[in-house]
PDB file of all heavy atoms in Angstrom:
ATOM      1  N   SER B1433     -51.661   0.621  29.334  1.00 44.00           N
ATOM      2  CA  SER B1433     -51.229   0.525  27.939  1.00 44.00           C
ATOM      3  C   SER B1433     -49.847   1.152  27.754  1.00 44.00           C
ATOM      4  O   SER B1433     -49.362   1.893  28.592  1.00 44.00           O
ATOM      5  CB  SER B1433     -52.239   1.233  27.046  1.00 44.00           C
ATOM      6  OG  SER B1433     -52.278   2.589  27.420  1.00 44.00           O
ATOM      7  N   ILE B1434     -49.249   0.788  26.638  1.00 44.00           N
ATOM      8  CA  ILE B1434     -47.956   1.377  26.285  1.00 44.00           C
ATOM      9  C   ILE B1434     -48.196   2.867  26.018  1.00 44.00           C
ATOM     10  O   ILE B1434     -49.254   3.255  25.549  1.00 44.00           O
ATOM     11  CB  ILE B1434     -47.407   0.691  25.011  1.00 44.00           C
ATOM     12  CG1 ILE B1434     -47.141  -0.780  25.312  1.00 44.00           C
ATOM     13  CG2 ILE B1434     -46.160   1.359  24.498  1.00 44.00           C
ATOM     14  CD1 ILE B1434     -46.859  -1.596  24.083  1.00 44.00           C
ATOM     15  N   ALA B1435     -47.184   3.663  26.338  1.00 44.00           N
ATOM     16  CA  ALA B1435     -47.327   5.112  26.153  1.00 44.00           C
ATOM     17  C   ALA B1435     -47.770   5.435  24.731  1.00 44.00           C
ATOM     18  O   ALA B1435     -47.221   4.906  23.771  1.00 44.00           O
ATOM     19  CB  ALA B1435     -45.993   5.778  26.436  1.00 44.00           C
ATOM     20  N   THR B1436     -48.776   6.255  24.593  1.00 52.00           N
ATOM     21  CA  THR B1436     -49.280   6.558  23.251  1.00 52.00           C
ATOM     22  C   THR B1436     -48.665   7.846  22.736  1.00 52.00           C
ATOM     23  O   THR B1436     -48.241   8.700  23.498  1.00 52.00           O
ATOM     24  CB  THR B1436     -50.807   6.726  23.274  1.00 52.00           C
ATOM     25  OG1 THR B1436     -51.121   7.668  24.290  1.00 52.00           O
ATOM     26  CG2 THR B1436     -51.488   5.405  23.548  1.00 52.00           C
ATOM     27  N   ILE B1437     -48.628   7.950  21.445  1.00 53.00           N
ATOM     28  CA  ILE B1437     -48.070   9.154  20.837  1.00 53.00           C
ATOM     29  C   ILE B1437     -49.016  10.320  21.098  1.00 53.00           C
ATOM     30  O   ILE B1437     -50.210  10.209  20.919  1.00 53.00           O
ATOM     31  CB  ILE B1437     -47.906   8.941  19.314  1.00 53.00           C
ATOM     32  CG1 ILE B1437     -46.652   8.161  19.053  1.00 53.00           C
ATOM     33  CG2 ILE B1437     -47.885  10.230  18.562  1.00 53.00           C
ATOM     34  CD1 ILE B1437     -46.334   7.981  17.614  1.00 53.00           C
ATOM     35  N   THR B1438     -48.444  11.398  21.577  1.00 57.00           N
ATOM     36  CA  THR B1438     -49.290  12.561  21.845  1.00 57.00           C
ATOM     37  C   THR B1438     -49.519  13.364  20.570  1.00 57.00           C
ATOM     38  O   THR B1438     -50.406  14.185  20.493  1.00 57.00           O
ATOM     39  CB  THR B1438     -48.615  13.460  22.888  1.00 57.00           C
ATOM     40  OG1 THR B1438     -47.282  13.713  22.456  1.00 57.00           O
ATOM     41  CG2 THR B1438     -48.589  12.831  24.268  1.00 57.00           C
ATOM     42  N   GLN B1439     -48.704  13.120  19.602  1.00 71.00           N
ATOM     43  CA  GLN B1439     -48.787  13.967  18.402  1.00 71.00           C
ATOM     44  C   GLN B1439     -49.027  13.122  17.152  1.00 71.00           C
ATOM     45  O   GLN B1439     -48.442  13.391  16.107  1.00 71.00           O
ATOM     46  CB  GLN B1439     -47.490  14.739  18.258  1.00 71.00           C
ATOM     47  CG  GLN B1439     -47.320  15.784  19.349  1.00 71.00           C
ATOM     48  CD  GLN B1439     -46.370  16.864  18.912  1.00 71.00           C
ATOM     49  OE1 GLN B1439     -45.288  16.554  18.470  1.00 71.00           O
ATOM     50  NE2 GLN B1439     -46.782  18.112  19.019  1.00 71.00           N
ATOM     51  N   TRP B1440     -49.887  12.112  17.259  1.00 79.00           N
ATOM     52  CA  TRP B1440     -50.154  11.258  16.093  1.00 79.00           C
ATOM     53  C   TRP B1440     -50.575  12.071  14.885  1.00 79.00           C
ATOM     54  O   TRP B1440     -50.151  11.814  13.764  1.00 79.00           O
ATOM     55  CB  TRP B1440     -51.244  10.234  16.411  1.00 79.00           C
ATOM     56  CG  TRP B1440     -50.684   8.863  16.652  1.00 79.00           C
ATOM     57  CD1 TRP B1440     -50.775   8.152  17.806  1.00 79.00           C
ATOM     58  CD2 TRP B1440     -49.950   8.041  15.743  1.00 79.00           C
ATOM     59  NE1 TRP B1440     -50.125   6.954  17.679  1.00 79.00           N
ATOM     60  CE2 TRP B1440     -49.617   6.851  16.418  1.00 79.00           C
ATOM     61  CE3 TRP B1440     -49.526   8.192  14.419  1.00 79.00           C
ATOM     62  CZ2 TRP B1440     -48.893   5.825  15.829  1.00 79.00           C
ATOM     63  CZ3 TRP B1440     -48.792   7.165  13.831  1.00 79.00           C
ATOM     64  CH2 TRP B1440     -48.500   5.995  14.536  1.00 79.00           C
ATOM     65  N   TRP B1441     -51.415  13.055  15.134  1.00 82.00           N
ATOM     66  CA  TRP B1441     -51.939  13.832  14.009  1.00 82.00           C
ATOM     67  C   TRP B1441     -50.827  14.589  13.293  1.00 82.00           C
ATOM     68  O   TRP B1441     -50.821  14.709  12.076  1.00 82.00           O
ATOM     69  CB  TRP B1441     -53.056  14.772  14.471  1.00 82.00           C
ATOM     70  CG  TRP B1441     -52.609  15.838  15.443  1.00 82.00           C
ATOM     71  CD1 TRP B1441     -52.492  15.723  16.787  1.00 82.00           C
ATOM     72  CD2 TRP B1441     -52.193  17.163  15.111  1.00 82.00           C
ATOM     73  NE1 TRP B1441     -52.028  16.894  17.328  1.00 82.00           N
ATOM     74  CE2 TRP B1441     -51.846  17.805  16.323  1.00 82.00           C
ATOM     75  CE3 TRP B1441     -52.092  17.889  13.920  1.00 82.00           C
ATOM     76  CZ2 TRP B1441     -51.402  19.122  16.382  1.00 82.00           C
ATOM     77  CZ3 TRP B1441     -51.654  19.204  13.980  1.00 82.00           C
ATOM     78  CH2 TRP B1441     -51.312  19.812  15.198  1.00 82.00           C
ATOM     79  N   VAL B1442     -49.832  15.073  14.054  1.00 84.00           N
ATOM     80  CA  VAL B1442     -48.717  15.785  13.420  1.00 84.00           C
ATOM     81  C   VAL B1442     -47.923  14.809  12.543  1.00 84.00           C
ATOM     82  O   VAL B1442     -47.540  15.140  11.419  1.00 84.00           O
ATOM     83  CB  VAL B1442     -47.780  16.416  14.484  1.00 84.00           C
ATOM     84  CG1 VAL B1442     -46.718  17.258  13.810  1.00 84.00           C
ATOM     85  CG2 VAL B1442     -48.550  17.259  15.463  1.00 84.00           C
ATOM     86  N   VAL B1443     -47.727  13.585  13.061  1.00 87.00           N
ATOM     87  CA  VAL B1443     -46.994  12.564  12.285  1.00 87.00           C
ATOM     88  C   VAL B1443     -47.756  12.258  10.999  1.00 87.00           C
ATOM     89  O   VAL B1443     -47.167  12.190   9.912  1.00 87.00           O
ATOM     90  CB  VAL B1443     -46.821  11.276  13.117  1.00 87.00           C
ATOM     91  CG1 VAL B1443     -46.098  10.211  12.311  1.00 87.00           C
ATOM     92  CG2 VAL B1443     -46.041  11.554  14.378  1.00 87.00           C
TER      93      VAL B1443
END
Side-chain angles (χ1 to χ4, degrees):
Chain B
S1433 61
I1434 296 169
T1436 52
I1437 280 184
T1438 51
Q1439 291 202 309
W1440 257 118
W1441 64 275
V1442 186
V1443 179

